């Protein structure tokens, strides 16, 4: 089993920045591939960014150039640096992990509980 715990969410004004963290514990062999998803109220969960074991990354078009995903293997921690935040970025943000590369599809086997990000105009 893998446990994922997100932190770093909060309220910020448009144009501001936040850094999300996701700490993995347990059977971290299953965290070769990790990703960030978000779900706004009344909307489906969508992939934001994902990272492979070799560091390759993919981003949703809506966040390209503003968000950066990274990982610290030694600390078993995933990060999402979010800059130039917009009100439409408001959502619950979830960390996900798996041994299979699911790209930005919400099919990862392990999920955290989420951290809320609210961006005001």
């Amino acid at each position: 089993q893998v446990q994922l715990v997100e932190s770093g969410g909060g309220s910020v004004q448009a144009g501001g920045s936040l850094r999300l963290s996701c700490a993995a514990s347990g059977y971290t062999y299953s965290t070769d591939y990790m990703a960030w998803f978000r779900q706004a109220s009344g909307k489906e969960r969508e992939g934001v960014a994902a990272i492979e074991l070799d560091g390759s990354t993919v981003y949703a078009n809506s966040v390209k150039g503003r968000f950066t995903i990274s990982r610290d293997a030694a600390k078993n921690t995933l990060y999402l640096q979010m800059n130039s935040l917009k009100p439409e970025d408001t959502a619950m943000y979830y960390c996900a992990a798996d041994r299979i590369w699911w790209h930005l599809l919400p099919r990862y086997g392990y999920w955290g509980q989420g951290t809320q990000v609210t961006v005001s105009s």
Side-chain angles (χ1 to χ4, degrees), residues 1-4 24-34 53 71 76 96-102 108-110:
Q1 284 285 9
V2 175
Q3 292 78 44
L4 302 173
S25 61
Y27 192 54
T28 55
Y29 179 65
S30 295
T31 59
D32 287 354
Y33 305 102
M34 299 188 76
L53 191 59
R71 66 193 301 172
N76 290 320
D98 208 321
R99 293 178 61 185
I100 301 171
W101 175 237
W102 293 109
Y108 289 77
Y110 300 99

Side-chain angles (χ1 to χ4, degrees), residues 4-10 18-23 36 77-80 82 93 95 113-117:
L4 302 173
V5 179
E6 302 95 336
S7 62
L18 284 173
R19 188 195 196 202
L20 305 183
S21 299
C22 172
W36 288 98
T77 302
L78 179 72
Y79 302 100
L80 185 68
M82 306 185 295
Y93 283 71
C95 168
Q113 294 299 308
T115 184
Q116 177 69 35
V117 171

Side-chain angles (χ1 to χ4, degrees), residues 31-38 46-61 63-64 67-71 78-80 94-98 100-108 111:
T31 59
D32 287 354
Y33 305 102
M34 299 188 76
W36 288 98
F37 288 79
R38 67 186 181 186
E46 64 170 344
V48 174
I51 187 167
E52 300 188 57
L53 191 59
D54 65 0
S56 299
T57 58
V58 293
Y59 295 91
N61 287 335
V63 306
K64 279 182 182 177
F67 291 10
T68 302
I69 188 172
S70 62
R71 66 193 301 172
L78 179 72
Y79 302 100
L80 185 68
Y94 299 90
C95 168
D98 208 321
I100 301 171
W101 175 237
W102 293 109
H103 201 262
L104 295 178
L105 296 174
R107 296 183 179 179
Y108 289 77
W111 293 83

